[in-house]
C-alpha cells in the first residue's frame, strides 16, 4: 500500500508513536493528533484516507469527534477503545464509525483492519457488474454518484451503510446471511458479526424507512439473514 494518509488520534504519545511505526512499515503516511480538537484541525490541513480514533480523550472525545466528522465526511473511521464492553463499541458504530479495535491491540490485527478499510475506501462501488442505477419502488441507488435517495431525497449514509445498501440492492430479493454481509462489506471473516451488522442495519432502516419497525425495503428473514425487497 502506498500514498495513503492515516490520521492517528490518541492522547497517549506512546500509542501514537507505536502505531506510526506499524503503519510506516506498510508505506502508509501517519499524521498524528492528541485529541479530537486537533484531529478536526488536521482534517482541514491534510488529505486523510482513514482515521484511527481513541474514545477516551480530553477536550473532545472520540464519540463526539466521530459525530462531527460525519457531518461532512465519509472517511473510514476505526475506533480505538481501551474498554471491552459492547456498549462502547456499539455507540461508536451508531455515531458513524466503520470498525473498532480494542486496546491493547495486536499490531497485525490493527494493520489488517486498516488495510481492509482502505481497500473499501478506494474500491467502493465495485461489486459485480458495471456501475448502474437501481430503483426499488422509490429507493434509488446511484453507483456512479455513490448516492442513495428515497423518493428523490438524498439519504446521508456512512461508508459502511452505503456498502451494505449497495450489496443488498444490487442483489434485490436475495437473502444474505449476517456472515455473508460482514465478509462482503468488511472484507474479513464474519466471526461474531451479529451485533456489528445488526447495529448498521438498524441505522440504515432509520434513514431509509418511513417506519423502521415495519420496514418496506430492508427485510429480515428470521433465522437466515437480510434482503432488500424487490
Amino acid at each position: 500500500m502506498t500514498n495513503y494518509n492515516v490520521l492517528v488520534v490518541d492522547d497517549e504519545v506512546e500509542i501514537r508513536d507505536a502505531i506510526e511505526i506499524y503503519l510506516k512499515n506498510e508505506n502508509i503516511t501517519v499524521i498524528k493528533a492528541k485529541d479530537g480538537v486537533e484531529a478536526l484541525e488536521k482534517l482541514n490541513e491534510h488529505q486523510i484516507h482513514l482515521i484511527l480514533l481513541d474514545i477516551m480523550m480530553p477536550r473532545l472525545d472520540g464519540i463526539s469527534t466521530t459525530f462531527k466528522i460525519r457531518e461532512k465526511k465519509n472517511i473510514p473511521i476505526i475506533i480505538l477503545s481501551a474498554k471491552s464492553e459492547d456498549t462502547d463499541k456499539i455507540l461508536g458504530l451508531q455515531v458513524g464509525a466503520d470498525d473498532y479495535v480494542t486496546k491493547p491491540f495486536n499490531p497485525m490485527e490493527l494493520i489488517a483492519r486498516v488495510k481492509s478499510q482502505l481497500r473499501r475506501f478506494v474500491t467502493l462501488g465495485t461489486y459485480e457488474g458495471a456501475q448502474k442505477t437501481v430503483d426499488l419502488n422509490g429507493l434509488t441507488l446511484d453507483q456512479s454518484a455513490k448516492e442513495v435517495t428515497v423518493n428523490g431525497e438524498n439519504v446521508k449514509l456512512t461508508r459502511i451503510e452505503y456498502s451494505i445498501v449497495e450489496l443488498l440492492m444490487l442483489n434485490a430479493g436475495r437473502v444474505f446471511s449476517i456472515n455473508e454481509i460482514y465478509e462482503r462489506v468488511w472484507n474479513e471473516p464474519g466471526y461474531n458479526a451479529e451485533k456489528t451488522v445488526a447495529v448498521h442495519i438498524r441505522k440504515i432502516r432509520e434513514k431509509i424507512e418511513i417506519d423502521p419497525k415495519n420496514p418496506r425495503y430492508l427485510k429480515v428473514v428470521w433465522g437466515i439473514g437480510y434482503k432488500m425487497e424487490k
Side-chain angles (χ1 to χ4, degrees):
M1 285 194 160
T2 57
N3 302 320
Y4 293 118
N5 297 329
V6 171
L7 176 60
V8 177
V9 190
D10 198 296
D11 59 330
E12 296 186 42
V13 63
E14 295 84 1
I15 292 178
R16 297 198 302 268
D17 291 347
I19 293 175
E20 182 177 28
I21 292 172
Y22 304 147
L23 297 185
K24 275 190 172 181
N25 288 336
E26 302 297 322
N27 295 317
I28 295 173
T29 299
V30 172
I31 296 163
K32 295 181 285 187
K34 64 180 179 295
D35 56 40
V37 174
E38 188 175 353
L40 296 176
E41 294 172 354
K42 297 290 185 182
L43 273 174
N44 290 327
E45 298 170 358
H46 303 274
Q47 181 182 18
I48 303 296
H49 301 99
L50 182 143
I51 303 169
L52 288 169
L53 184 63
D54 186 33
I55 287 183
M56 302 299 293
M57 296 183 296
R59 294 208 292 175
L60 193 65
D61 63 42
I63 300 299
S64 299
T65 303
T66 299
F67 188 80
K68 286 184 174 294
I69 292 170
R70 283 291 176 256
E71 291 177 353
K72 297 181 179 180
K73 299 179 181 292
N74 276 332
I75 300 167
I77 298 174
I78 299 177
I79 289 288
L80 301 175
S81 174
K83 300 179 181 179
S84 60
E85 289 85 353
D86 287 339
T87 52
D88 290 305
K89 300 169 184 176
I90 291 172
L91 182 57
L93 295 172
Q94 285 179 328
V95 298
D98 298 284
D99 201 356
Y100 61 83
V101 175
T102 302
K103 296 191 288 187
F105 48 78
N106 183 309
M108 297 305 296
E109 178 188 2
L110 180 68
I111 291 170
R113 290 182 181 275
V114 167
K115 286 184 174 181
S116 175
Q117 292 296 329
L118 286 173
R119 278 196 301 270
R120 286 195 313 98
F121 181 64
V122 299
T123 62
L124 186 63
T126 56
Y127 291 115
E128 292 85 346
Q131 292 189 344
K132 57 184 178 181
T133 300
V134 179
D135 182 80
L136 302 176
N137 299 312
L139 177 66
T140 304
L141 170 79
D142 185 340
Q143 279 191 293
S144 297
K146 306 295 186 292
E147 289 182 350
V148 173
T149 59
V150 177
N151 297 323
E153 295 292 326
N154 186 266
V155 179
K156 191 173 183 180
L157 299 173
T158 67
R159 195 164 299 279
I160 286 282
E161 291 166 357
Y162 175 88
S163 296
I164 293 172
V165 170
E166 181 183 53
L167 172 65
L168 297 180
M169 288 190 69
L170 292 181
N171 298 276
R174 173 183 167 183
V175 180
F176 284 85
S177 71
I178 289 172
N179 283 350
E180 283 182 300
I181 293 172
Y182 192 89
E183 290 170 2
R184 294 285 293 273
V185 172
W186 277 263
N187 293 311
E188 59 185 59
Y191 302 125
N192 299 316
E194 290 83 1
K195 289 183 179 179
T196 299
V197 173
V199 167
H200 285 87
I201 292 294
R202 184 170 69 250
K203 296 300 289 185
I204 291 169
R205 280 177 169 165
E206 290 172 356
K207 295 178 181 182
I208 69 172
E209 304 284 0
I210 295 176
D211 181 3
K213 294 183 179 179
N214 185 28
R216 175 185 181 187
Y217 302 112
L218 211 173
K219 302 280 190 176
V220 62
V221 181
W222 294 107
I224 303 178
Y226 297 96
K227 70 174 182 177
M228 197 68 76
E229 197 73 88
K230 285 186 176 180

